[in-house]
Amino acid sequence: GAGVSQSPRYKVAKRGQDVALRCDPISGHVSLFWYQQALGQGPEFLTYFQNEAQLDKSGLPSDRFFAERPEGSVSTLKIQRTQQEDSAVYLCASSLFPRTNVILEQFFGPGTRLTVL
Amino acid sequence: DAKTTQPNSMESNEEEPVHLPCNHSTISGTDYIHWYRQLPSQGPEYVIHGLTSNVNNRMASLAIAEDRKSSTLILHRATLRDAAVYYCILRDQTNDMRFGAGTRLTVKP
């Protein structure tokens, strides 16, 4: 089906390496969100795009985290100089309208499990 | 931000109803109550949402207290596929989706 897809599904990185995680949202969805989910915890918000504009990056934990959505569709979350505490599942979600429409559901991808050794 | 409180875990028998509680005593008048669930090794999926009135859909029912300080997600007949972590979330126009730790539901055959 035409759901949200993410790649890779699993990524192992050595500490200090840079990684790039890709999200393909549902076609036509305006909103795109990134979340970080540590083991045994609920997802935590990282950043929000409305089309190509990054309107909220308040959840990014450090300046090593960078996200982009240059054409308003595919998005990439980049983590520079990875640390062990970056190990988590990174989830992407998309929604049809801007996030101010609070009744609309978010559709989540399966996530990318990042392990930093 | 308004917070929610859910039990860490609950158990149910297959084909029996399940009532998953959520307390949100600091809810504001513009907060919608959303429920999502996360099956093992998957991303969360939408279950249901409501504002003041009780809501039903094909997956579940949502019962909202008259004072809106609590709500209950009702699965009418639990199946093994309903085993998941269930998240109760408050949303308004100014906040993000704030997931707590949720309730881990175990369904016994």
Side-chain angles (χ1 to χ4, degrees):
Chain A
V4 177
S5 61
Q6 294 186 244
S7 61
R9 291 294 311 279
Y10 303 90
K11 177 68 179 177
V12 178
K14 292 183 179 178
R15 191 172 59 179
Q17 281 185 330
D18 298 350
V19 298
L21 312 179
R22 177 187 169 106
C23 172
D24 284 79
I26 294 173
S27 178
H29 277 200
V30 165
S31 293
L32 187 144
F33 307 81
W34 283 98
Y35 295 84
Q36 179 189 59
Q37 186 171 24
L39 190 64
Q41 303 296 316
E44 292 194 2
F45 170 81
L46 292 177
T47 188
Y48 165 67
F49 289 86
Q50 181 175 311
N51 296 309
E52 70 279 2
Q54 188 175 19
L55 298 187
D56 186 348
K57 48 184 180 179
S58 62
L60 296 176
S62 78
D63 58 8
R64 296 186 296 103
F65 286 71
F66 172 77
E68 59 183 5
R69 192 187 185 199
E71 297 179 357
S73 55
V74 171
S75 177
T76 304
L77 176 67
K78 297 179 180 178
I79 309 173
Q80 297 177 324
R81 305 182 303 281
T82 52
Q83 304 295 316
Q84 284 189 321
E85 61 262 29
D86 300 334
S87 295
V89 174
Y90 291 85
L91 294 161
C92 174
S94 70
S95 188
L96 183 58
F97 291 127
R99 70 172 176 178
T100 48
N101 189 322
V102 295
I103 67 171
L104 272 189
E105 63 183 285
Q106 292 185 16
F107 294 85
F108 284 79
T112 294
R113 180 177 297 278
L114 172 65
T115 303
V116 181
L117 302 176
Chain B
D1 292 336
K3 290 185 177 180
T4 62
T5 305
Q6 299 177 253
N8 289 334
S9 63
M10 290 185 66
E11 280 190 356
S12 171
N13 293 318
E14 196 176 11
E15 298 189 5
E16 290 186 354
V18 182
H19 290 232
L20 298 165
C22 180
N23 288 324
H24 29 77
S25 58
T26 59
I27 190 170
S28 71
T30 55
D31 284 334
Y32 281 78
I33 302 160
H34 285 245
W35 284 80
Y36 279 71
R37 72 179 185 179
Q38 188 170 20
L39 302 172
S41 301
Q42 296 187 25
E45 64 176 353
Y46 169 83
V47 178
I48 200 166
H49 76 272
L51 183 62
T52 56
S53 303
N54 294 345
V55 184
N56 299 293
N57 67 20
R58 63 176 180 81
M59 288 182 71
S61 295
L62 177 59
I64 302 173
E66 195 168 336
D67 63 5
R68 301 209 325 127
K69 293 183 184 297
S70 65
S71 60
T72 302
L73 179 71
I74 303 165
L75 306 179
H76 294 286
R77 288 180 72 239
T79 70
L80 297 178
R81 288 199 67 249
D82 291 323
V85 178
Y86 287 78
Y87 298 99
C88 169
I89 301 159
L90 300 183
R91 293 191 65 190
D92 70 15
Q93 291 187 359
T94 61
N95 72 9
D96 323 301
M97 287 259 282
R98 303 279 173 158
F99 292 78
T103 297
R104 181 173 297 279
L105 175 65
T106 302
V107 180
K108 296 183 289 184

